[in-house]
């Protein structure tokens, strides 16, 4: 059986916070405002994996009301989400993502981001892709006050009949 999943996340960008994507601290004037480390890409990937495997969503697994997730390392959250997904027999076929922000330029960090996601998801970087898109000056993203990410993944489970 194969299954597709989609994940989305948005965070406000404010001064005095680091801009973190896939566990990497990027050069930017503003960073994600969040209860956790604000890693908007890790969050969207968690939801894509959880959606494809029908195991829940990031809000139910890591509620912001829980003190444990204050300033949490979201790549560790992603690792534990993928453990859960793997326990149910699912394997990642591929993951594709769009990061929508004014700065930094995602292309400058693409290889590093792909490598970091591949490491946590215990797969090859070849199965993972990330594209940057700007907001063309439109809305909160275009003004550099927010970042949003869409992630889509394909999972397969050889033990389940289609
Ligand atoms: Mg988030």
């Amino acid at each position: 059986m194969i299954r597709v999943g989609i994940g989305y996340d948005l965070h406000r960008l404010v001064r005095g916070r680091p801009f973190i994507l896939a566990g990497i601290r990027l050069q930017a004037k503003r960073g994600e405002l969040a209860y956790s480390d604000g890693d908007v890409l890790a969050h969207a990937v968690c939801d894509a994996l959880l959606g494809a495997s029908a195991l829940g969503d990031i809000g139910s697994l890591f509620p912001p009301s829980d003190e444990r997730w204050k300033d949490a390392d979201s790549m560790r959250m992603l690792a534990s989400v993928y453990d859960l997904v793997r326990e149910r027999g699912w394997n990642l076929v591929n993951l594709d993502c769009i990061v929508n922000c004014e700065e930094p330029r995602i292309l400058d960090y693409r290889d590093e981001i792909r490598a970091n996601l591949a490491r946590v998801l215990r797969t090859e970087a070849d199965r993972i892709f990330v594209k940057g898109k700007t907001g063309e000056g439109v809305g909160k993203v275009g003004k550099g006050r927010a970042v949003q990410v869409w992630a889509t993944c394909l999972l397969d489970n050889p033990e389940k009949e289609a």
Side-chain angles (χ1 to χ4, degrees), residues 9-11 34 36 38-40 43-44 58:
D9 197 22
L10 176 148
H11 282 264
S36 66
D39 191 333
V40 63
H43 297 171
I58 194 168

Side-chain angles (χ1 to χ4, degrees), residues 25-142:
R25 192 174 176 147
L26 313 190
Q27 286 296 324
K29 288 191 283 294
R30 292 163 183 268
E32 298 106 331
L33 181 66
Y35 191 69
S36 66
D37 65 2
D39 191 333
V40 63
L41 178 54
H43 297 171
V45 173
C46 282
D47 266 351
L49 294 169
L50 290 168
S53 54
L55 290 173
D57 60 65
I58 194 168
S60 56
L61 265 69
F62 308 101
S65 55
D66 190 331
E67 272 290 318
R68 277 180 302 167
W69 312 121
K70 180 153 170 47
D71 299 320
D73 177 348
S74 298
M75 290 298 268
R76 289 184 62 186
M77 289 159 65
L78 177 57
S80 79
V81 161
Y82 196 53
D83 282 345
L84 196 66
V85 166
R86 289 294 304 263
E87 276 165 24
R88 305 297 174 94
W90 296 101
N91 303 301
L92 181 67
V93 177
N94 79 303
L95 170 70
D96 191 18
C97 312
I98 298 171
V99 180
N100 183 206
C101 63
E102 289 310 282
E103 66 148 14
R105 200 168 75 128
I106 299 308
L107 187 57
D108 297 339
Y109 298 94
R110 176 188 279 163
D111 291 345
E112 210 181 334
I113 290 171
R114 292 175 69 199
N116 241 20
L117 287 171
R119 183 179 48 78
V120 168
L121 298 172
R122 306 192 292 279
T123 189
E124 312 90 54
D126 174 54
R127 291 175 181 265
I128 293 168
F129 210 73
V130 179
K131 302 174 294 291
K133 287 277 172 191
T134 68
E136 294 282 333
V138 178
K140 286 257 187 280
V141 172

Side-chain angles (χ1 to χ4, degrees), residues 10-28:
L10 176 148
H11 282 264
R12 285 176 188 275
L13 293 172
V14 296
R15 290 188 185 275
R17 290 272 305 186
F19 193 118
I20 294 174
L21 276 189
I24 302 160
R25 192 174 176 147
L26 313 190
Q27 286 296 324

